[in-house]
Amino acid sequence: MTTRWGLPLLVVIVGMFMSVLDTSIVNVAIPTMQGQFSASPDNIQWIATAYTLCLGVVVPTSAWLGERLGLRRTYLLALVLFSVFSALCGTATDLNTMIVYRVLQAIPGGVIPVTCLTILYRMVPPSKLGAAMGLYGLGIVFAPGVGPTLGGYLVEYVDWRLIFYINVPIGILGAIAAMIVLPKFPATPGRPFDVPGFVCIAAACFALLLAVSEGQQWGWTSYPVLMLVAGGFNLLALFVVIELQVKHPLLTLRTFRYWPYVNSLLLMAIVYTGLFASLYYVPLFLQNVQGITPWNTGLTVMPQALVMAVLTPFAGRLFDKFGARYLVMAGMTIDGIGTLMMAQINTEMSRTAILLRLMVSAAGLALCFMPIMTGGMSSLPPQITSAGSAMTTLVQRVTAAIGLAAVTAFTSIQQAQLFADRSSLLQGSGPGVDPRITQLQGQGPGGLIPLFQELTGKVTTQSYSNAFLLVGICVLAAVPLAYFLPKKRPAGGSSGPVEM
């Protein structure tokens, strides 16, 4: 274990930041790419869907690659490939080419987070683990928040292709820095690759992520979605059976013997769903309902990212002193209250009011997210830390997609019901007709368009409000689970020597 871990940690944060940033920055450019590629709304979404699907497939192999090649070599290779494939994405001239390049980009993009987290646990002393995870958390919670701001500026004032090209110089400089300052970790190339286990977990992740990605379009009760969900869960069950039988499993399921770790996965899934619901619905509300430009939308959500950037390292230091339990309980309570405050959203709400509510939620999230992850990981024995890193990243990716899809399904049902309820009150004829409707009808076929737009905005806003209410209740309901996290600071450590 090295005592000089500060500079290597910064190098690791660079790679983590790049990987997570790419999950949110691209969304802002999708409407522009749709116009340039002449793609339909359904097809253009595959730019994001293909990336998410491939991430879920690649993550389980990351721990094996780290052992086979060595963590340092795996990180360097993933960083260089991520930069190369990002450059290829920037050169895409049609939709099919872009989707292929996004799949290639996701392969190193899925390896980077697992490798980074494992490196951190190998080189940081136990007494400084909370502070290190606080800094590392900037790449996880700050990058999704700053993505819409940076992406909005590049799309509106420069060129959407820069959202991919910007990864190239950062990746090259990060790789050079890693070669210079990152410690060497001994490789253990003797473990064979678990092909049956990989096929099962990869196919299961692909099926479940595809179902939740396309459920809104295909219908949640349609045969394709139901078959994908059933197949995904059956493959997961088969994966568990295989992993318990093979001598060298792809993912060590022994991590699930430790309740604090399992508990941390449950809590992480809940708060991560809340974070991505906020990052997804607030920009939609600002642009589609209030008509704000992408750049100004990014500026509105930027303070949320800044709050997390300031408080996340502070939460790491508090974790070193007090442990995870009460810090997570306090953070989740604040996060839940802030999310419930977002349930007050309406079409006339000012950007300042939205900004303040997002900052309250972000403060709670910053206080609880890293302690949740650190408290769970520190409860694992050092020899299975790598497997815990892979499982943690896999849960983050999958639950973010599935949780957001569940909230999206809820808002769609709400919108349909609210439209039906409110449109029934707008009678166009008969004794109870509103004189204003008669007046608007007299203006011709387009006379009712303003009324329809107003109704659409209010219905959409109300459905988002109900979504925030649901998420806030779920976060607060999960606060008691935080009591079962470790109370004391971690006593874990490195799983082996680190060569400087």
Side-chain angles (χ1 to χ4, degrees):
M1 184 190 308
T2 176
T3 57
R4 298 180 179 179
W5 53 269
L7 188 58
L9 177 63
L10 292 179
V11 174
V12 169
I13 291 173
V14 170
M16 184 64 196
F17 186 86
M18 281 178 53
S19 172
V20 179
L21 178 68
D22 215 68
T23 61
S24 62
I25 192 174
V26 175
N27 294 336
V28 182
I30 283 180
T32 304
M33 286 188 279
Q34 180 182 354
Q36 290 200 8
F37 295 155
S38 301
S40 66
D42 296 339
N43 292 334
I44 198 67
Q45 288 300 322
W46 277 96
I47 293 177
T49 303
Y51 187 82
T52 303
L53 292 175
C54 191
L55 281 179
V57 172
V58 170
V59 166
T61 68
S62 303
W64 180 84
L65 283 174
E67 294 179 8
R68 186 83 177 183
L69 303 178
L71 291 171
R72 182 173 179 267
R73 190 179 302 171
T74 301
Y75 176 73
L76 284 170
L77 182 62
L79 205 58
V80 171
L81 289 178
F82 189 83
S83 302
V84 171
F85 294 141
S86 295
L88 290 178
C89 289
T91 64
T93 56
D94 58 77
L95 179 61
N96 292 331
T97 305
M98 173 62 79
I99 292 174
V100 172
Y101 289 158
R102 285 286 282 170
V103 169
L104 293 175
Q105 187 191 30
I107 295 174
V111 173
I112 288 174
V114 178
T115 307
C116 291
L117 189 57
T118 307
I119 288 175
L120 184 149
Y121 270 84
R122 293 286 183 88
M123 70 181 179
V124 176
S127 60
K128 302 295 183 181
L129 192 57
M133 286 294 288
L135 294 173
Y136 178 81
L138 294 177
I140 297 180
V141 298
F142 181 62
V146 77
T149 307
L150 179 59
Y153 177 82
L154 294 177
V155 169
E156 191 168 338
Y157 294 107
V158 192
D159 191 336
W160 65 266
R161 296 182 185 275
L162 280 178
I163 65 176
F164 297 109
Y165 289 142
I166 197 174
N167 290 331
V168 177
I170 298 176
I172 293 175
L173 292 176
I176 294 174
M179 293 175 63
I180 297 173
V181 305
L182 205 61
K184 296 180 180 179
F185 302 89
T188 54
R191 185 164 71 99
F193 186 69
D194 178 18
V195 177
F198 170 73
V199 171
C200 287
I201 190 64
C205 289
F206 182 87
L208 293 176
L209 290 172
L210 181 60
V212 300
S213 298
E214 299 298 324
Q216 181 64 31
Q217 179 65 29
W218 295 348
W220 293 105
T221 57
S222 64
Y223 283 113
V225 171
L226 293 178
M227 291 175 66
L228 285 170
V229 172
F233 280 111
N234 280 304
L235 286 169
L236 283 178
L238 181 59
F239 170 75
V240 172
V241 173
I242 292 174
E243 297 305 280
L244 293 177
Q245 298 296 324
V246 297
K247 185 177 180 180
H248 301 285
L250 180 68
L251 291 176
T252 303
L253 300 184
R254 285 184 297 159
T255 56
F256 290 101
R257 295 178 180 177
Y258 302 90
W259 165 244
Y261 176 76
V262 176
N263 189 28
S264 72
L265 295 182
L266 296 174
L267 294 172
M268 190 187 310
I270 294 171
V271 298
Y272 218 55
T273 299
L275 170 63
F276 273 82
S278 173
L279 293 174
Y280 181 75
Y281 286 110
V282 171
L284 281 180
F285 169 77
L286 293 173
Q287 294 185 63
N288 297 341
V289 177
Q290 294 194 335
I292 297 176
T293 64
W295 168 235
N296 287 320
T297 297
L299 292 179
T300 303
V301 300
M302 185 64 177
Q304 177 187 19
L306 294 177
V307 168
M308 288 189 284
V310 172
L311 292 184
T312 300
F314 176 69
R317 295 186 179 277
L318 290 179
F319 174 84
D320 282 335
K321 292 183 178 180
F322 304 108
R325 178 183 299 174
Y326 298 115
L327 187 58
V328 172
M329 293 179 70
M332 290 187 65
T333 301
I334 297 172
D335 181 29
I337 292 173
T339 306
L340 291 180
M341 291 171 62
M342 282 299 301
Q344 301 172 346
I345 195 172
N346 58 74
T347 56
E348 305 300 326
M349 180 175 285
S350 66
R351 291 170 61 187
T352 302
I354 296 174
L355 183 150
L356 292 175
R357 286 164 170 77
L358 290 176
M359 292 174 67
V360 172
S361 178
L365 185 65
L367 290 176
C368 71
F369 188 78
M370 278 301 104
I372 289 174
M373 182 185 295
T374 313
M377 289 286 294
S378 63
S379 66
L380 297 176
Q383 61 269 23
I384 59 173
T385 299
S386 180
S389 302
M391 193 68 71
T392 298
T393 305
L394 183 63
V395 169
Q396 286 179 3
R397 302 294 189 184
V398 174
T399 56
I402 294 178
L404 184 58
V407 176
T408 301
F410 174 78
T411 57
S412 299
I413 295 172
Q414 287 284 300
Q415 288 181 13
Q417 185 62 49
L418 290 169
F419 261 120
D421 293 343
R422 298 199 180 194
S423 59
S424 64
L425 300 176
L426 301 177
Q427 300 181 22
S429 60
V433 64
D434 191 325
R436 292 173 296 179
I437 297 180
T438 305
Q439 182 180 1
L440 291 173
Q441 287 177 327
Q443 299 176 7
L448 291 175
I449 291 180
L451 182 61
F452 176 77
Q453 291 176 337
E454 180 182 356
L455 176 62
T456 301
K458 290 185 176 180
V459 166
T460 302
T461 304
Q462 184 61 49
S463 66
Y464 292 171
S465 171
N466 293 341
F468 285 123
L469 179 63
L470 174 65
V471 173
I473 291 175
C474 290
V475 172
L476 291 177
V479 170
L481 283 177
Y483 183 80
F484 299 100
L485 289 172
K487 180 180 179 181
K488 299 179 180 179
R489 68 183 188 181
S494 172
S495 61
V498 173
E499 178 185 346
M500 293 301 294

